[in-house]
Amino acid sequence: MSKRGWLLFLAMGVIWGVPYAMIAVAVEDFDPVFVAFGRTLIGGLLLLPIALYTDALRPVFRRWRPLLLYTLVEISGPWFLIGYAETTLNSSTVGLLIAAVPLIAVLIVTRLGHETFDARRILGLIVGFAGVAALVGLDVDLSNPAAIGAIALTTIGYAVGPIVINHSLADLPPMGVVTASLLLAAALYTPFAALRRPEHFPADASLSVLGLAIVCTAAAFLLFFALIGEVGPARATVITYINPAVAIVLGVTLLNEPLTAGMAIGFPLVVLGSFLGTRQSRAAAPQDDPALSATP
């Protein structure tokens, strides 16, 4: 990857390593659908003035079909499903299951013929997944089939979302796509959120939703579009290996959580796997990779 690609990759790994803890705090007091509604509505409204000023929304709504598909598979569905799953599953289980996203993305883009993967990249994805498993210590809770199914659907959505961006929305203004998708998601959530509106708004849960909206949604998606345009959809999903590593590092350094042997082993495996998994395949020249030619 280029230097810009690595910077975007690391930034996204950090930013999207934070939400799991914030969501866990928020769903203690708010219904998962209300958390998702607040996150999308606030994030969309923050970006709306800029999108209107730059006239970035008009071309986006002309392509409403892929916009709706992207919104459903990347935002509306996953954010509700993760919130639901985190009411019963521990964060280790969620992090480990979502780490399957790059593997699913590889299968999809290879099947579609959009990218070529050599043994080195495939090995990198496997090593990265093993690193995530070591990080979370295999503290996996499989007692709730519905919650496991919710995360399984989330991983598929997260794998498909970047592909939709790359092949149907990459030539549109990122500000317009992000703003429109967030507001569309908020509209889809509205009737359900109205039925689950909380009677009280505790400070910790409210601040968590606000942080999710500003940092992990509005700012993060603009960076994510730039990352997809720089490195392609399959490589962009490898950030799901970095996310749990970042979450654990923050827990150890800021919350005084214990550093286990699994963390010491898993972290370098995640770094190595991410490096190998994001390398350009030798079999394909950069100019032959459509994922690298689309710049949002």
Side-chain angles (χ1 to χ4, degrees), residues 76-207:
S76 298
W79 291 0
F80 167 73
L81 292 171
I82 290 175
Y84 164 74
E86 288 216 32
T87 61
T88 58
L89 297 180
N90 57 49
S91 59
S92 297
T93 301
V94 174
L96 181 59
L97 293 176
I98 290 180
V101 169
L103 301 176
I104 296 173
V106 165
L107 293 176
I108 294 174
V109 297
T110 304
R111 183 70 177 175
L112 294 175
H114 294 155
E115 287 196 38
T116 302
F117 289 83
D118 58 13
R120 179 178 55 187
R121 287 189 63 187
I122 295 174
L123 176 62
L125 296 173
I126 295 173
V127 169
F129 187 83
V132 173
L135 280 171
V136 301
L138 292 178
D139 180 19
V140 178
D141 178 8
L142 302 178
S143 61
N144 189 326
I148 297 296
I151 297 301
L153 290 175
T154 296
T155 61
I156 296 173
Y158 277 166
V160 171
I163 298 173
V164 175
I165 292 174
N166 192 67
H167 294 283
S168 300
L169 303 171
D171 60 321
L172 299 176
M175 178 63 69
V177 176
V178 173
T179 304
S181 61
L182 289 176
L183 293 177
L184 177 58
L188 294 174
Y189 285 135
T190 297
F192 307 100
L195 296 174
R196 294 170 172 81
R197 183 179 181 275
E199 296 181 358
H200 305 286
F201 292 82
D204 53 351
S206 300
L207 289 174

Side-chain angles (χ1 to χ4, degrees), residues 23 41 74 80 94 132 194 206-207 227 239 242 260 267 287:
I23 292 172
L41 179 64
E74 183 75 23
F80 167 73
V94 174
V132 173
S206 300
L207 289 174
L227 177 63
I239 61 171
I242 300 294
T260 66
F267 191 80
Q287 59 267 28

Side-chain angles (χ1 to χ4, degrees), residues 37 40-41 44-45 57 60-61 63-72 75-76 176-191:
F37 168 73
T40 53
L41 179 64
L45 291 177
L57 290 175
V60 172
F61 283 115
R63 214 173 295 174
W64 64 270
R65 288 183 179 86
L67 174 69
L68 177 60
L69 175 60
Y70 169 73
T71 302
L72 290 173
I75 301 177
S76 298
V177 176
V178 173
T179 304
S181 61
L182 289 176
L183 293 177
L184 177 58
L188 294 174
Y189 285 135
T190 297

Side-chain angles (χ1 to χ4, degrees), residues 241-254:
Y241 288 166
I242 300 294
N243 299 160
V246 170
I248 290 174
V249 168
L250 290 176
V252 171
T253 57
L254 300 181

